[in-house]
Amino acid sequence: MSARVLCAGRLYCDVVFTGSPRLPTLGTEVFAEGLSLHAGGGAFITGATLSALGDHASQLSVLPAAPFDAPVLAQLKAQNVSSKLCAAAPKGSDPQITVAIPCGNDRAFLTRAPGAALPSVDVAELAGFSHLHIGELGTLEEVPGLLDLAREAEMTVSLDCGWQDKFSVEAATLIEKVDVFLPNQRELEALMSVGVPELCASLTVVKNGENGARAITRGQSIWLQERSKPVPMVDATGAGDAFNGGFVSQWLKGASLEACLRQGNFCGAASVQSAGGVGGLSSLSSLELAETIPQ
Ligand SMILES: Nc1ncnc2c1ncn2[C@@H]1O[C@H](COP(=O)(O)OP(=O)(O)OP(=O)(O)O)[C@@H](O)[C@H]1O
Ligand SMILES: [Mg+2]
């Protein structure tokens, strides 16, 4: 059965310059070969992955200010992610944009994240959703009441971490309330270094690049590691968010932790093999998944 998932988080217009011979330096100009606009941000990539897997995904975000809202809305539509609960940016705000410059095997980013990540939402608008995925801890810290609202609407909750230059131990009081917490290894270590316990949420899933991911449950002490299949790496952007979509989709079906990790790894590996956050989704047909993932 497919789930109805609300994905909340910052929604960017990614402005991607391709074919740049080098990164710009002060006092010089670099000419790129191409330029494209994409919807970006963890919540969108996870929602698009869930939708590609057959679940129903809706986005809860403030849109980037015009004219950058149009290409973002077009891409949400193309990926079958509903924008019904999205709201326009307040008049006069800067557009929420990430400029990305891929160069060699890496990328440089420059981001402007103005104003609120989420529009206000009430419990009546959450009716019909069974799960809330929050794209980054920073958004939950901005709107902590979202957790109570989700519980009132009887939704389960998953949360990605996302990198922050400064984590705080107070984050533990939010993380402990979610059902599934999905940091990467570096984020988990940074949280633990400020005093957040490793087993804070009831289920913690730690993503670790080509090493795959592990799941640790609070209380029962189940510790499971699933390795990722070696694949040619094209672009790692959004692999963690694609992993979230794969993992959560199986978790919502009540699958075993092994099956959840395996589908997460499958989606993460598909993502790193193509450029951009949602470039790998076309390879996620349910037929391929059914053949690849033993339940
Ligand atoms: N080189 C790789 N080969 C195969 N699978 C990979 C590779 N890199 C990442 N993955 C898959 O993608 C998942 C997420 O990757 P990673 O640990 O880089 O997450 P992340 O750092 O949160 O990514 P993001 O940049 O989206 O925040 C991994 O757990 C794994 O399943
Ligand atoms: Mg991540």
Side-chain angles (χ1 to χ4, degrees):
M1 220 187 66
S2 61
R4 298 186 70 84
V5 182
L6 184 62
C7 296
R10 287 209 174 256
L11 178 60
Y12 295 92
C13 182
D14 288 349
V15 178
V16 184
F17 287 87
T18 50
S20 178
R22 61 180 171 82
L23 289 182
T25 49
L26 285 178
T28 69
E29 186 166 14
V30 176
F31 291 88
E33 283 168 6
L35 174 70
S36 52
L37 304 185
H38 308 271
F44 165 66
I45 297 168
T46 299
T49 307
L50 283 161
S51 173
L53 293 171
D55 294 305
H56 297 277
S58 289
Q59 183 88 21
L60 178 66
S61 302
V62 173
L63 293 165
F68 296 94
D69 50 347
V72 165
L73 283 168
Q75 203 173 10
L76 259 72
K77 195 164 178 206
Q79 299 295 336
N80 232 348
V81 175
S82 167
S83 57
K84 244 172 139 175
L85 290 180
C86 290
K91 256 201 160 62
S93 52
D94 292 344
Q96 184 152 280
I97 286 182
T98 289
V99 171
I101 309 173
C103 204
N105 285 335
D106 220 332
R107 295 182 146 210
F109 298 102
L110 181 63
T111 292
R112 173 80 178 112
L118 308 185
S120 62
V121 67
D122 61 42
V123 71
E125 290 170 301
L126 301 184
F129 292 105
S130 52
H131 185 78
L132 171 69
H133 176 74
I134 305 168
E136 54 279 318
L137 174 62
T139 290
L140 180 57
E141 289 173 325
E142 201 181 303
V143 194
L146 196 57
L147 283 180
D148 297 328
L149 215 57
R151 294 303 180 204
E152 205 182 325
E154 298 184 350
M155 297 161 81
T156 47
V157 181
S158 55
L159 170 70
D160 195 309
C161 186
W163 180 252
Q164 295 179 10
D165 283 334
K166 208 162 175 265
F167 285 105
S168 118
V169 68
E170 275 88 61
T173 59
L174 296 170
I175 297 170
E176 70 185 11
K177 290 190 196 141
V178 305
D179 300 289
V180 189
F181 180 49
L182 300 129
N184 67 24
Q185 179 66 35
R186 192 166 153 243
E187 291 155 357
L188 182 68
E189 282 167 11
L191 282 167
M192 288 167 66
S193 75
V194 298
V196 175
E198 185 180 16
L199 306 185
C200 193
S202 52
L203 171 59
T204 303
V205 181
V206 189
K207 297 164 280 186
N208 197 5
E210 62 190 8
N211 298 314
R214 62 183 196 275
I216 323 158
T217 63
R218 190 177 61 199
Q220 298 161 44
S221 306
I222 296 176
W223 200 99
L224 264 176
Q225 165 89 33
E226 280 287 332
R227 298 217 148 266
S228 207
K229 269 200 198 146
V231 293
M233 157 87 101
V234 176
D235 176 12
T237 310
D241 305 302
F243 176 100
N244 298 343
F247 186 96
V248 167
S249 179
Q250 284 290 306
W251 185 80
L252 290 171
K253 290 179 177 70
S256 68
L257 280 182
E258 285 99 325
C260 297
L261 286 170
R262 220 165 287 149
Q263 181 157 283
N265 280 337
F266 183 86
C267 295
S271 169
V272 299
Q273 288 177 77
S274 60
V278 295
L281 295 182
S282 51
S283 63
L284 299 184
S285 77
S286 35
L287 184 67
E288 278 175 298
L289 284 168
E291 285 170 1
T292 321
I293 300 167
Q295 300 293 306

